Amino acid sequence: DVQFSPTERCLASAAGDKTVRVWSIADMSCLAVLEGHAGSVLSVRYLGMGQQLASAASNGVLKVWSLKSKECISTLEHHQDKVWTLAVPRAEDGDEAALEMLSGGADSRLVVWRDCSAELAKMEADKAEE
């Protein structure tokens, strides 16, 4: 699976060697290799405004990567089998749908993932004020 960045002149590819690679479109040089999956990576999608990548693997695990740090920032587990596909809505400023992702797997499940980190941070800040 391959996807073009929505903001940069690069693309991301999923690979059977358990990695995600980010490539320059200008000269096809490898800009980053993201390692951490335990199974072949089957799907990759840019999230939001292209600052993060989501990847899905043959062992049913999804990962969210920061392109700035080139590290996994979240591991998502809900599927019982291969995750074949990821779908992410097109991001627009202030668009709540940009905080969502859909995964579809060989376990016949479609899972909606929602980024709740801003809501959790607010709840923790409110709790600290009490």
Side-chain angles (χ1 to χ4, degrees):
D1 188 28
V2 176
Q3 188 181 35
F4 287 93
S5 168
T7 57
E8 304 293 327
R9 295 211 21 92
C10 61
L11 58 89
S13 64
D17 67 355
K18 306 175 187 174
T19 65
V20 173
R21 295 180 189 265
V22 179
W23 305 89
S24 165
I25 293 173
D27 61 6
M28 290 311 294
S29 62
C30 184
L31 302 174
V33 178
L34 308 176
E35 298 177 298
H37 275 289
S40 298
V41 181
L42 304 174
S43 187
V44 64
R45 290 292 176 269
Y46 282 90
L47 299 176
M49 299 303 288
Q51 302 304 310
Q52 297 175 340
L53 272 174
S55 57
S58 61
N59 64 346
V61 174
L62 287 76
K63 291 190 177 282
V64 177
W65 307 88
S66 164
L67 290 175
K68 184 176 183 178
S69 69
K70 297 177 179 53
E71 294 183 6
C72 177
I73 56 174
S74 186
T75 298
L76 309 171
E77 299 180 49
H78 190 69
H79 287 279
Q80 310 277 315
D81 203 346
K82 295 176 182 78
V83 178
W84 289 114
T85 190
L86 295 171
V88 177
R90 189 170 292 164
E92 296 179 25
D93 289 338
D95 185 4
E96 286 295 315
L99 301 174
E100 294 179 347
M101 173 175 62
L102 179 76
S103 59
D107 56 4
S108 299
R109 292 182 181 181
L110 289 174
V111 179
V112 176
W113 304 91
R114 187 166 191 324
D115 182 352
C116 298
S117 47
E119 295 158 9
L120 290 173
K122 184 180 180 334
M123 286 173 49
E124 287 176 9
D126 291 346
K127 193 175 193 179
E129 289 178 7
E130 293 177 0

